[in-house]
Amino acid sequence: MPDPARTRMDALRLVRPELLDLLGYEPIEPVDVLAEELGLPADQIVKLDGNENPYGPSPRVKDALADFDLYHIYPDPEQRRVRQALAGYLGLDSEHIVVGNGSDELLELIACLFLSAGDVAVNCVPTFGMYAFVCEIRGARVVEVPRREDFSLDVAAVQEAARGGAKVVFIASPNNPSGNIISAAELEALLSTGVLVVVDEAYVEFSDRSFVGLVPQQDNLIVLRTFSKWAGLAGLRAGYGAFPKGIAALMRKVKMPYNMNVAAQVAILASLEDREMLQQRVQAIVRERERLSEELAAVPFLRGFPSEANFILYRSQGIDASELWRRLRQQGIFVRHFDTPGVRDCIRITVGKPEHTDRLLAALKEIGGSLAP
Ligand SMILES: *Cc1c(COP(=O)(O)O)cnc(C)c1O
């Protein structure tokens, strides 16, 4: 019998060395874990930290999942029905479409398809942490181009990085965590460098500016989308993207054949059939975003940034952002605090239902009262 401790050591020695001290993606904690930690019932928790949809999925999704009777059969590896439905939704040919286990999986597949060890990708920080994560796992090098003070892109700096030999540029529009979008002129300037531009439109339904219609005319533009935010399917993992046809075919070739489970496929089809109702909820969230923004404009220790997504970024002044985060948490209100350059003194608040905004306002009032001289 080999000594088990020794075998473990030996196997660890075989791991790709660059992965041994990878920082990893920092996920948010699940509600039940948070509730238990605070000793609060789960329904007392106001979860405004994950940009999830407070209304949940369409009721038609629940019915369709209950009625579906082919859970024992493997899904279509080509995902034809779902891609056809998405093609109709986007007004594009289904040959452009690839679906994934969340758009996160598509990011991973893009890195798989384009980035060998040592290749360069450009990341416009602060932004979604997944871009750097998928690159690092591949051993690719991430060049960070900081956004300006108002979080707009430094287009000239991105162009310079792109022309310096980068293969891929990742842009979220609206950007997470800042909520701002890129303009058509900015996108055009990036596409003209010839680098592959990945525009992540995870929050596009809350804004009114999508670039997905440009995909058929461009050979270096990818637009990623998801059902996680607008359609309330974050837990089911339902992402998709529009790609140039040749790249889409390669993406479908390198993906795992059954990468999207049947439940996610059923849920996508049911959501698209109920999209009018889902869009009404999106409108309710947008109205609530405007109310949150107006109410919080009166809070002296917070300065908000204009957002076209389902969250708003705030810079704290006169109180440490981590202290603010901690004090909201004590009251069962969870927001996201950042600890990265450019947003160190910031919290990001997901737009919830009106009653969530009310709880947040009451908590901020109390915190404000305790700060008064
Ligand atoms: C939430 C988020 C995603 C994740 O989408 P999934 O489809 O749930 O994997 C992608 N991009 C950005 C910018 C996000 O904030």
Side-chain angles (χ1 to χ4, degrees), residues 50-51 100-105 107 127-128 130-131 172-176 200-203 225-229 233-234 237-240 311 348:
N51 298 343
N101 186 30
S103 52
D104 289 350
E105 188 198 17
L107 288 168
T127 192
F128 188 44
M130 205 67 71
Y131 311 138
S173 181
N175 186 44
N176 177 5
D200 180 351
E201 294 191 336
Y203 300 98
R225 296 280 199 92
T226 179
F227 281 71
S228 293
K229 314 296 169 32
L233 297 185
R237 317 304 300 124
Y240 64 101
F311 55 81
R348 187 195 65 199

Side-chain angles (χ1 to χ4, degrees), residues 266-282:
V266 166
I268 287 180
L269 293 171
S271 299
L272 289 178
E273 278 166 18
D274 204 13
R275 76 184 131 200
E276 256 169 53
M277 195 279 291
L278 288 170
Q279 270 153 7
Q280 283 166 18
R281 289 177 174 180
V282 165

Side-chain angles (χ1 to χ4, degrees), residues 137-351:
I137 285 182
R138 294 277 150 195
R141 196 159 67 79
V142 178
V143 171
E144 291 193 342
V145 177
R147 287 167 177 265
R148 298 203 190 87
E149 189 77 359
D150 62 355
F151 300 111
S152 60
L153 283 188
D154 184 344
V155 175
V158 180
Q159 281 182 313
E160 193 183 310
R163 294 201 173 104
K167 292 176 98 175
V168 183
V169 176
F170 293 98
I171 310 277
S173 181
N175 186 44
N176 177 5
S178 54
N180 58 316
I181 60 171
I182 59 163
S183 69
E186 288 171 324
L187 178 58
E188 180 48 44
L190 300 185
L191 288 170
S192 72
T193 64
V195 75
L196 181 72
V197 180
V198 179
V199 176
D200 180 351
E201 294 191 336
Y203 300 98
V204 80
E205 288 82 1
F206 303 99
S207 86
D208 39 34
R209 182 87 180 92
S210 172
F211 296 106
V212 79
L214 293 180
V215 169
Q217 308 142 42
Q218 297 288 339
D219 53 20
N220 57 337
L221 173 64
I222 292 173
V223 175
L224 298 182
R225 296 280 199 92
T226 179
F227 281 71
S228 293
K229 314 296 169 32
W230 76 283
L233 297 185
L236 271 178
R237 317 304 300 124
Y240 64 101
F243 298 71
K245 287 187 181 178
I247 294 175
L250 278 173
M251 287 282 289
R252 291 195 297 269
K253 196 183 274 183
V254 299
K255 76 179 178 60
M256 290 292 147
Y258 308 124
N259 65 323
M260 181 181 272
N261 67 60
V262 289
Q265 299 193 32
V266 166
I268 287 180
L269 293 171
S271 299
L272 289 178
E273 278 166 18
D274 204 13
R275 76 184 131 200
E276 256 169 53
M277 195 279 291
L278 288 170
Q279 270 153 7
Q280 283 166 18
R281 289 177 174 180
V282 165
Q283 287 317 308
I285 292 170
V286 168
R287 283 195 302 274
E288 194 58 23
R289 176 183 76 203
E290 298 317 310
R291 176 184 162 228
L292 179 69
S293 165
E294 277 163 30
E295 297 274 14
L296 266 58
V299 175
F301 52 93
L302 290 177
R303 187 163 71 82
F305 291 90
S307 169
E308 301 202 26
N310 65 341
F311 55 81
I312 306 181
L313 187 73
Y314 285 92
R315 183 154 271 156
S316 69
Q317 38 204 14
I319 178 171
D320 203 61
S322 60
E323 170 68 9
L324 183 58
W325 173 83
R326 200 184 57 75
R327 288 171 68 171
L328 288 171
R329 195 173 199 275
Q330 276 170 348
Q331 305 203 35
I333 300 171
F334 293 86
V335 299
R336 183 91 192 236
H337 169 243
F338 295 94
D339 203 17
T340 48
V343 279
R344 240 183 253 294
D345 48 355
C346 292
I347 58 167
R348 187 195 65 199
I349 305 175
T350 301
V351 179

